[in-house]
Amino acid sequence: MKIAMIGTGYVGLVSGVCFSDFGHEVVCVDKDSRKIEMLERGEVPIYEPGLETLLAKNVDAGRLSFTRDIAVAIDGADAVFIAVGTPTRRGDGHADLTYVMAAAEEIAKAADHYIVVVTKSTVPVGTNAKVRDTMAAANPDLEFDVASNPEFLREGAAIDDFMKPDRVVVGVESERAGRVMEEIYRPLYLRDFPIVVTDLESAEMIKYAANAFLATKITFINEIAALCEKVGADVKQVSKGMGLDGRIGKTFLHAGPGYGGSCFPKDTKALARIGQDHAMPMQITEAVIKINDEVKRRMVDKLLDLSDGSFNNRKIAVLGVTFKPNTDDMRDAPSLTIIPAMVGGGAKVSVVDPQGRREGEALLPGVTWESDPYVAAKDADLLVILTEWNEFRALDLKQIANGMKTPRLGDLRNIYSAEDAREAGFEAYSAIGRPGYPD
């Protein structure tokens, strides 16, 4: 099969590279000439483990190429995937479909043969019908089908998720489109991975419902963690006890400073907006959005308590700023709420993150970037663990504490216990939903 992938952001690039590894001929399109030049040099504009190696392998094999010209990409293509951004629209919470519709119109005007246009971007229910109408208006003589194929990739584990998915969701309107999609995903069909074939609207809804549910699990355990702090329970033990129930499951029950990233914040807002537009309020989702914002602000209060009520003139070392480990993604990361509050309060903040600096320098003005946790913590009044990178899981806490001015630890990812902190020499310790030092 020949596939054109419109958009070389996170979803488009990972999908295009993986499809080419299936054996398909893939042409990735982007209007950003800087991105295309980087990719043609074999450089990946995002951080995703294993992606650069897989990209080079398939470029060398002649199955993967890059262009700015959409007409070149779709020439002879069996399917064209739309994988452009759908950011939250300012003012109303809707997903901004400007880029999706622009891509649909360009595809229609450039195509001269039957194609299946597949929406890979996360879009509200009814968007694929709008894509169909937009294309029909732009080129009434074009023979085409529209399909929905939402992505379920976890940043940091995207290649494995694509190659060994929990499921693939495909929404189609015709048998012909279904056959094309079946051929595209043939390597997964042959290995018996679940393929859910449904209508367009159900496929669109599955994506939003899944992300909203996962965001709800995270927010629920964060609320439980707050209660654990009041009653003296340990949320790690509570999560373990809950997760052993097969009806609940252990994933997404790790208490922390709130969810962020490219999906959960915008998708929960979009689902809430869809509900409002159809006079069916998504009350649980709306509560999740509100509580998640409160969780991030509660982290500021927690760190303020560790700083004796004031950040002014405190030196604070922060380990991790990306919204999760194994990515360089800073979108809606808790750090974007917590660190500005500390800087605004007069703190001198040093930051360490294996991949966060590229985006973080512009997003976190007023901080000092370090590459070594021990250097960042030297003479600090407070150490904060904000992202659970593996590099931060086996620190020599005693060495760090000995080098600090006032050894205090705010572990917002529950990596270390109170016992670990006390033995290392920290005079104060606070985590999420776990007992601290006795008063």
Side-chain angles (χ1 to χ4, degrees):
M1 305 290 281
K2 181 178 179 182
I3 295 171
M5 184 68 62
I6 312 300
T8 61
Y10 186 83
V11 173
L13 187 57
V14 171
S15 300
V17 170
C18 289
F19 277 138
S20 69
D21 205 57
F22 281 176
H24 301 306
E25 179 187 347
V26 179
V27 183
C28 293
V29 187
D30 203 293
K31 291 185 175 181
D32 188 334
S33 57
R34 182 188 63 86
K35 273 189 179 181
I36 295 300
E37 289 167 4
M38 285 183 67
L39 291 166
E40 288 179 333
R41 293 194 303 266
E43 300 172 9
V44 176
I46 59 172
Y47 177 74
E48 179 62 35
L51 185 58
E52 189 169 323
T53 300
L54 199 63
L55 182 146
K57 168 190 169 184
N58 286 285
V59 168
D60 290 345
R63 293 188 294 264
L64 180 63
S65 60
F66 309 96
T67 184
R68 292 182 61 204
D69 191 334
I70 196 169
V72 169
I74 68 175
D75 183 26
D78 300 285
V80 182
F81 283 75
I82 298 176
V84 296
T86 54
T88 299
R89 198 165 65 193
R90 286 187 177 182
D92 61 10
H94 275 297
D96 188 343
L97 301 178
T98 302
Y99 305 115
V100 172
M101 294 307 164
E105 186 172 351
E106 282 191 65
I107 292 166
K109 290 179 177 178
D112 59 4
H113 62 285
Y114 172 79
I115 52 172
V116 178
V117 178
V118 189
T119 305
K120 198 72 173 163
S121 305
T122 300
V123 294
V125 178
T127 299
N128 280 281
K130 293 178 181 178
V131 167
R132 181 183 60 229
D133 294 344
T134 297
M135 292 187 62
N139 188 349
D141 297 326
L142 180 65
E143 189 179 6
F144 69 95
D145 274 306
V146 172
S148 176
N149 181 214
E151 56 83 20
F152 299 95
L153 306 178
R154 295 169 299 161
E155 293 189 46
I159 292 173
D160 201 47
D161 283 350
F162 198 100
M163 300 299 192
K164 302 174 184 176
D166 292 331
R167 79 294 203 194
V168 173
V169 175
V170 176
V172 291
E173 293 183 300
S174 72
E175 290 185 7
R176 188 178 185 183
R179 287 193 298 271
V180 171
M181 296 303 293
E182 182 176 350
E183 188 62 30
I184 288 172
Y185 281 106
R186 182 174 175 79
L188 299 184
Y189 274 100
L190 293 174
R191 292 153 61 202
D192 292 325
F193 286 103
I195 312 288
V196 179
V197 180
T198 183
D199 57 89
L200 294 176
E201 290 77 14
S202 296
E204 292 166 334
M205 182 60 80
I206 287 169
K207 170 65 175 179
Y208 278 111
N211 276 359
F213 186 79
L214 294 176
T216 300
K217 284 188 77 173
I218 293 171
T219 304
F220 179 82
I221 201 61
N222 282 337
E223 272 208 310
I224 292 295
L227 183 57
C228 284
E229 292 176 13
K230 298 294 186 181
V231 302
D234 186 333
V235 75
K236 291 197 77 169
Q237 298 302 317
V238 174
S239 297
K240 182 177 180 180
M242 289 174 60
L244 290 172
D245 187 327
R247 298 167 299 176
I248 298 173
K250 64 182 180 179
T251 58
F252 288 84
L253 286 179
H254 300 289
Y259 64 74
S262 61
C263 294
F264 291 174
K266 75 178 182 66
D267 290 353
T268 50
K269 289 175 185 175
L271 181 60
R273 191 69 210 189
I274 293 167
Q276 292 165 9
D277 288 347
H278 290 82
M280 185 57 63
M282 297 289 99
Q283 296 179 63
I284 293 175
T285 302
E286 290 175 359
V288 164
I289 296 167
K290 175 177 177 289
I291 294 166
N292 188 62
D293 288 339
E294 292 172 354
V295 167
K296 295 176 183 179
R297 291 194 295 271
R298 191 168 71 86
M299 297 301 105
V300 175
D301 293 337
K302 182 182 287 290
L303 298 177
L304 197 58
D305 288 343
L306 277 173
S307 300
D308 296 327
S310 175
F311 291 130
N312 193 40
N313 290 324
R314 297 289 196 273
K315 180 180 179 184
I316 300 175
V318 176
L319 305 187
V321 294
T322 55
F323 88 95
K324 62 180 287 189
N326 297 321
T327 181
D328 58 356
D329 199 338
M330 293 282 294
R331 284 173 285 187
D332 281 292
S335 64
L336 299 181
T337 297
I338 296 168
I339 292 178
M342 294 191 293
V343 173
K348 299 174 182 177
V349 179
S350 297
V351 170
V352 181
D353 191 288
Q355 295 294 332
R357 186 168 184 172
R358 181 167 58 182
E359 290 189 23
E361 280 191 316
L363 296 171
L364 295 170
V367 307
T368 301
W369 291 86
E370 301 285 357
S371 58
D372 187 329
Y374 301 92
V375 172
K378 182 69 173 173
D379 297 323
D381 298 289
L382 175 63
L383 175 69
V384 180
I385 300 176
L386 204 46
T387 310
E388 66 276 33
W389 285 89
N390 281 338
E391 290 90 330
F392 306 146
R393 290 184 177 275
L395 297 170
D396 186 336
L397 291 183
K398 184 171 290 188
Q399 180 182 338
I400 287 180
N402 287 339
M404 294 177 67
K405 180 181 177 183
T406 55
R408 301 179 181 188
L409 175 61
D411 183 0
L412 305 189
R413 293 293 180 174
N414 290 343
I415 296 175
Y416 299 101
S417 66
E419 184 179 355
D420 294 331
R422 187 188 291 278
E423 288 182 355
F426 282 92
E427 66 181 45
Y429 159 89
S430 183
I432 308 297
R434 308 190 76 187
Y437 294 167
D439 293 334

